[in-house]
Amino acid sequence: MPTPPRQQTQNAQRTVSTPATIPTPTVSASVAFQQPSVDYPLLLLSLAEDYLAAARGQAYSRASKDRSNNMRQHCKLLATGLACLETVLKKFKVQPQMEANVRLRYASVLYDETENMLEAEQCLSGGIKLCDRYRFFDLKYNMEHLLAQVLFKGSPRAAMKFLDGVIKDAEAYQHTAWIYALRFLKIFLLLQLSSHQDILSSHSQLKNISTLADRTGDKAILAIVSTLEALVHLRQSSSAESIEQAQRAIALARSLQHDRVVGHISQLALLIDIADLSCSLQQFDPTQAVPKMQAMQALLESPRDDWNDDGTFSLPVLSQDASRAPHGNGIVRKDPIGSLSVKFSWAPWTDLYILGYLLSSMSLAHRNTTDGLRSEQMLKEGLRNLDKNTGKPESIYESVSTVSSRHIWRQTLRCFFQLHLIFSLCTRTAWDDAQQHLKGLKDTAAAISLRSEILSLLIQYLDGMVNQGTGHLDTALSIFQRPCFSITGKLSSPAHTDLAILSTLNIILILHPPSHPLHLTLPTLLSSLHPYLTRIQSTKPLLAAYNLILATTPNPEPPTIPRTKQHLQTALQAAKSASNIQLQCITLNFMSFKFFKGLVGEQAEKSVRASENLARKGMDGLWRSVSAGSVGEMLEMAGRMEEAGRVRDTGREIARSLPDSVVMQWEDVEGDGGGEVVMK
């Protein structure tokens, strides 16, 4: 998360201790115990808030546009505000509760705006002792909540151990709302670590919260726990078992929406809709995804009177007495209606609305070419909305680190929009547009120093796919053979595994011609996929592509006719289940070539006509040309020469729009039969 440079931070801290920075009042010994005419602590606190507000007021433009030119002024305002707070702490004897509040404010600014975690830790440690002495439980929990985040920056394991002790104390005092808040914090910190053991620990924390919420009857907490559990399952794996567990958790969350309190929390309802839609997208089940997408869109279009500008929302905790709870903006606070609530931070509504475009486009991707390119239109509209919001000053005051983090999130979201748009363009062989958008995608990723491993892998794979589609096979092969795509290497996530499988399948396609120097390595490549058969079989598009490869690739001998039929039937069924028109088209084209080439009859004509129709629906120039050639050949054998000529002319016209390198390779193998064209 971008923060002010360390040197500037240190300068800011030195400025705090410089007497000339803040005019500190001097009080003579004779009047030391008299009531001053001016309440200097209160004045300094007011000045501190003014300086901090001024520093944060234009944080968005400084973080996203010309941060380097304005950071000096920002740091000056920030250091002055911090100096005011520090002066109150060091130069005045104030009431214990005011001191505790100032310590919390001072440490939170250090955490948000600087890298001086040591001073923040020392300030909070002193504040926690003060709260213990005067039994300020709520302030103490707020400080401990922040201290855990401070410790996490330097030593995640120390932060976890510290949180365990704080949670144990909260359980001993039966402070239910804070038990929730602290356990949620631990879950979010564990998810940042992302190791398998940490994911398992997050499941354990979710279970503990769920058990407590079920026992106390806090249905809103139980609903969000169930939703988070579903999202963690989806993040952990996209296997059928993980998706099933996620769907069970979502079903529980949906059942709780019938409660009067839970049903009116629109942020929670949207989170449930997004998790539910994600399950269907992971399953490649468009028949379920589309109605879920429509439900999500309806919620995004509904009035948003209860949405805060900064994306925060609160969930009620009805099981704990709120009589002693403080009002204010703490993590646990008393609502206007008099009940306790736990504060959560999420994305602003504008960001979620843009995210809705991406999820909607993914839901409609299977019928993009048959639905007026609606999926692509949603991607382009989402990018336009990102352009309108990027660089636009926010109406809320936020730290530079928060705003910079949101800017990076939006740019990462832009990368995913561009990524899906390029995949859509590749599917319908719009190679010129795909190459142009790929350049833009690489520029966007470079501008934000992309840290997402999976997004970086997707960009590399997409680069290989574009090169393969445009006929630059040597370049594509060099990309797919990179160590990061090695099927025998270390694969960090299910998505990484999928990309390694796909890269291996692409390599097999490139090496398929017997004239290729590496053609004899095909059996080894196919055998390297055997350990991942379970993963392949659970993912419909992968299953279709894999069986299509098995039906067309010698291993080491060409497959027998019965085995070829079995593989093609499996491929076609899986492609239909995933509503993947392109895979259906390729499979039917090969079936027509393999079983009906040279034959004349009703069945043969139905087969080639079906292939041609699918190619036309998919707007795939290459396969429209291939299928036109197959239809023309069948018509010639049937003696329908005039019709055959028209079809062949159409195919040649379409072929002229293909990249020159693809057309040249097609011409090189056209005399050998359409089977080789399929491999190209």
Side-chain angles (χ1 to χ4, degrees), residues 591-612:
M591 290 176 71
S592 298
F593 164 77
K594 189 72 175 176
F595 301 117
F596 298 106
K597 185 175 176 62
L599 299 179
V600 177
E602 182 181 357
Q603 190 63 34
E605 183 171 357
K606 282 183 178 180
S607 179
V608 294
R609 291 289 189 186
S611 303
E612 182 188 32

Side-chain angles (χ1 to χ4, degrees), residues 226-300:
S226 300
T227 310
L228 291 175
E229 181 184 352
L231 292 172
V232 173
H233 280 304
L234 293 176
R235 175 175 176 170
Q236 184 178 7
S237 172
S238 55
S239 65
E241 181 182 359
S242 292
I243 294 174
E244 183 181 351
Q245 290 174 327
Q247 288 174 325
R248 282 202 296 265
I250 291 171
L252 175 58
R254 287 216 178 276
S255 69
L256 293 167
Q257 285 185 290
H258 297 294
D259 181 79
R260 179 180 56 82
V261 175
V262 179
H264 287 85
I265 304 173
S266 55
Q267 295 92 339
L268 179 56
L270 180 59
L271 183 61
I272 293 172
D273 280 351
I274 290 175
D276 200 4
L277 176 56
S278 299
C279 285
S280 296
L281 292 175
Q282 289 274 42
Q283 286 181 307
F284 299 95
D285 190 346
T287 57
Q288 291 189 18
V290 172
K292 292 177 181 179
M293 172 205 73
Q294 293 169 342
M296 178 195 70
Q297 288 178 339
L299 193 54
L300 285 170

Side-chain angles (χ1 to χ4, degrees), residues 44-62 73-74 76-82 84-85 105 109 113 394-400 403:
L44 287 170
L45 291 177
S46 179
L47 286 172
E49 292 305 320
D50 288 343
Y51 282 120
L52 293 175
R56 292 181 171 187
Q58 295 180 342
Y60 191 88
S61 60
R62 289 169 184 159
Q73 178 65 17
H74 172 81
K76 185 177 180 180
L77 290 167
L78 179 65
T80 307
L82 284 169
C84 290
L85 294 173
R105 179 64 170 144
V109 175
E113 302 278 7
E394 298 270 314
S395 61
I396 52 176
Y397 292 157
E398 292 182 321
S399 66
V400 165
V403 173

Side-chain angles (χ1 to χ4, degrees), residues 511-585:
L511 304 185
H512 186 275
S515 58
H516 198 286
L518 299 177
H519 176 76
L520 295 178
T521 63
L522 290 180
T524 303
L525 287 168
L526 284 170
S527 64
S528 68
L529 293 171
H530 289 169
Y532 300 96
L533 287 179
T534 301
R535 174 64 183 164
I536 292 172
Q537 290 168 355
S538 66
T539 309
K540 295 170 187 176
L542 276 181
L543 180 62
Y546 177 68
N547 276 275
L548 184 58
I549 294 292
L550 292 179
T552 57
T553 305
N555 187 27
E557 298 295 330
T560 62
I561 294 297
R563 187 169 292 275
T564 299
K565 284 184 177 180
Q566 180 184 352
H567 289 314
L568 290 175
Q569 287 173 353
T570 302
L572 188 59
Q573 184 178 359
K576 285 181 177 179
S577 298
S579 298
N580 191 310
I581 294 176
Q582 188 182 44
L583 283 172
Q584 292 179 62
C585 171

Side-chain angles (χ1 to χ4, degrees), residues 232-425:
V232 173
H233 280 304
L234 293 176
R235 175 175 176 170
Q236 184 178 7
S237 172
S238 55
S239 65
E241 181 182 359
S242 292
I243 294 174
E244 183 181 351
Q245 290 174 327
Q247 288 174 325
R248 282 202 296 265
I250 291 171
L252 175 58
R254 287 216 178 276
S255 69
L256 293 167
Q257 285 185 290
H258 297 294
D259 181 79
R260 179 180 56 82
V261 175
V262 179
H264 287 85
I265 304 173
S266 55
Q267 295 92 339
L268 179 56
L270 180 59
L271 183 61
I272 293 172
D273 280 351
I274 290 175
D276 200 4
L277 176 56
S278 299
C279 285
S280 296
L281 292 175
Q282 289 274 42
Q283 286 181 307
F284 299 95
D285 190 346
T287 57
Q288 291 189 18
V290 172
K292 292 177 181 179
M293 172 205 73
Q294 293 169 342
M296 178 195 70
Q297 288 178 339
L299 193 54
L300 285 170
E301 295 292 346
S302 62
R304 53 183 191 278
D305 298 335
D306 57 340
W307 284 79
N308 295 325
D309 290 339
D310 60 357
T312 59
F313 65 97
S314 299
L315 295 183
V317 179
L318 304 178
S319 60
Q320 185 175 337
D321 180 21
S323 58
R324 294 188 176 183
H327 293 278
N329 294 319
I331 298 158
V332 174
R333 84 279 294 278
K334 186 188 293 185
D335 282 341
I337 61 174
S339 63
L340 275 182
S341 63
V342 179
K343 177 182 175 183
F344 289 82
S345 294
W346 200 19
W349 180 87
T350 52
D351 287 1
L352 294 172
Y353 191 81
I354 295 171
L355 177 63
Y357 277 109
L358 180 62
L359 295 174
S360 298
S361 172
M362 294 168 65
S363 304
L364 298 174
H366 66 286
R367 65 189 194 195
N368 179 54
T369 55
T370 61
D371 195 23
L373 303 182
R374 188 180 169 198
S375 176
E376 287 182 31
Q377 291 170 4
M378 286 188 170
L379 292 171
K380 292 175 182 178
E381 185 62 29
L383 287 170
R384 281 192 289 269
N385 275 271
L386 276 172
D387 290 334
K388 286 191 294 185
N389 284 281
T390 299
K392 181 180 178 182
E394 298 270 314
S395 61
I396 52 176
Y397 292 157
E398 292 182 321
S399 66
V400 165
S401 59
T402 301
V403 173
S404 297
S405 177
R406 179 166 299 145
H407 172 69
I408 292 174
W409 185 87
R410 286 177 174 171
Q411 292 303 95
T412 304
L413 185 61
R414 178 186 298 276
C415 287
F416 278 104
F417 271 101
Q418 293 172 314
L419 190 84
H420 283 277
L421 180 57
I422 297 167
F423 273 117
S424 293
L425 293 169

